[in-house]
Amino acid sequence: MIGRLNHVALAVRDLAAATALYRDTLGARVSAEVPLPEHGVTTVFVELPNTKIELLAPLGEASPIARFLERSPEGGIHHLCYEVDDIIAARDSLRAAGARVLGDGEPRTGAHGKPVLFLHPKDMLGTLVELEQV
Ligand SMILES: CC[C@H](C(=O)O)C(=O)SCCNC(=O)CCNC(=O)[C@H](O)C(C)(C)COP(=O)(O)OP(=O)(O)OC[C@H]1O[C@@H](n2cnc3c(N)ncnc32)[C@H](O)[C@@H]1OP(=O)(O)O
Ligand SMILES: [Co+2]
């Protein structure tokens, strides 16, 4: 079912500083900031040869990463995103296995314009998992 690792997401307080660290200190290629108000975050993608790092900053009052940053003020690894061929088949199979799909269970359009879903961290070894249909 799951395929390539599409990205590893880091929640950060200061997106400009995080972008400068990856661009200037780590010498990586980084995208422009992209606000995703429907997801309550602003994102920057760090392009690596074998995957991407998604830098996430809260956007708006109801950001889903706000409490994460309250718990971890320095930021930290927020989620892993795996690619799937068929997100509905994956969702239904995971539900049958007892995993909780977050939100209303319907895929939403993610940062890459593709359908995404999230699985509860408590069902995924303590790690928030995102699935992206490619
Ligand atoms: C889709 C656009 C873009 C893309 O790549 O395309 C993105 O990735 S956007 C990313 C931001 N959006 C989301 O993360 C949506 C899914 N996330 C959620 O719905 C929430 O973050 C949720 C429900 C996972 C946690 O929300 P919150 O922290 O407010 O809930 P709790 O405080 O009640 O936490 C419950 C329980 O889970 C633990 N937790 C929370 N977040 C994480 C995490 N990222 N990794 C691991 N564990 C997490 C938290 O510590 C609580 O544990 P407990 O033992 O009960 O204290
Ligand atoms: Co993501």
Side-chain angles (χ1 to χ4, degrees), residues 47-128:
E47 300 290 338
L48 301 178
N50 63 329
T51 191
K52 293 184 274 296
I53 303 298
E54 181 181 47
L55 304 176
L56 291 173
L59 178 61
E61 294 306 309
S63 175
I65 69 169
R67 289 226 289 250
F68 181 95
L69 285 167
E70 284 166 20
R71 284 190 296 270
S72 310
E74 294 303 307
I77 295 176
H78 184 262
H79 63 269
L80 302 178
C81 181
Y82 302 117
E83 294 178 358
V84 293
D85 295 332
D86 179 337
I87 200 161
I88 297 303
R91 177 197 64 188
D92 295 347
S93 162
L94 285 156
R95 269 185 174 151
R100 283 166 286 180
V101 178
L102 295 171
D104 65 2
E106 291 308 313
R108 297 174 65 195
T109 302
H112 300 129
K114 303 282 182 58
V116 300
L117 281 172
F118 287 88
L119 305 173
H120 202 288
K122 296 294 183 194
D123 302 323
M124 293 284 136
L125 306 173
T127 298
L128 179 62

